[in-house]
Amino acid sequence: MTTTPARQRGRGHDPESVLHTAVAVFNERGYDGTSMEDLARALGMTKSAIYYHVPGKEQLLARALDRALDGLFSMVDDSMATSGPAIARLEWVIRRSVSILVERLPYVTLLLRVRGNSATEQRALERRREFDRFVSALVKEAAAEGHVRPDVDPALVTRLLFGAVNSITEWYQPSRGGSAEDLADAIVKIAFDGLRTR
């Protein structure tokens, strides 16, 4: 019996490679626009072979979103985010967020496209809101310590800061250069010092 090219390509997949490929397809086609057949085609394996690695499409989505969110939440209990002046902690959180975004670009891109159309997406959105509340609290602390303007709503500051960070998913291409550190430096300088020369 001869082995078809599709079956040959399907060999060697593990849960990690299945997830990585699924995230690429979700980002290209949209999660709702992706069928198990699309995933099977991209992986070069049968639909039944995918079920060997994962119970279904939504579990792949859940794993992918957790990959992005777990990166963000790894910061929350870090000593760099919990001790010292609030302004220094806020800057560190922004810098680390950029690094995580670059490290996990496909996963964060998928997270930012979630609209709450399923229980899995709703859970992810709630975790994102929890992270936003964490950052807003840092902004409030920094304002109370006199390092951030008190006349701007902390929730708005958080949205603006992370709007800048999250926009990286729309245009950043690792192959064209520009390190995570360079990106973080630019965002921090603009956010904390502004564009106008002194």
Side-chain angles (χ1 to χ4, degrees), residues 1-4 7-8:
M1 178 178 160
T2 59
T3 305
T4 65
R7 290 186 189 283
Q8 287 173 342

Side-chain angles (χ1 to χ4, degrees), residues 88-166:
R89 289 183 279 142
L90 179 61
E91 180 178 332
W92 181 83
V93 165
I94 292 167
R95 288 182 178 280
R96 189 70 192 112
S97 295
V98 172
S99 293
I100 289 164
L101 186 149
V102 170
E103 289 165 12
R104 305 178 188 209
L105 187 60
Y107 301 93
V108 177
T109 299
L110 183 62
L111 172 64
L112 295 176
R113 293 178 178 170
V114 161
R115 295 294 172 259
N117 296 333
S118 68
T120 296
E121 292 187 18
Q122 288 166 11
R123 279 192 300 275
L125 289 176
E126 180 48 44
R127 286 188 76 193
R128 271 187 68 188
R129 286 189 286 270
E130 184 182 340
F131 182 75
D132 288 349
R133 289 190 291 270
F134 162 73
V135 177
S136 289
L138 272 182
V139 174
K140 280 182 190 170
E141 276 189 71
E145 291 172 5
H147 297 291
V148 169
R149 293 174 57 140
D151 59 336
V152 182
D153 176 20
L156 177 59
V157 171
T158 301
R159 283 193 289 275
L160 291 172
L161 285 172
F162 278 86
V165 172
N166 294 339

Side-chain angles (χ1 to χ4, degrees), residues 9-25:
R9 288 196 310 274
R11 287 187 177 161
H13 279 296
D14 58 21
E16 187 63 24
S17 65
V18 169
L19 178 63
H20 183 75
T21 301
V23 169
V25 177

Side-chain angles (χ1 to χ4, degrees), residues 184-196:
D185 281 345
I187 290 172
V188 165
K189 283 174 186 171
I190 291 167
F192 288 73
D193 300 328
L195 288 172
R196 192 185 301 274

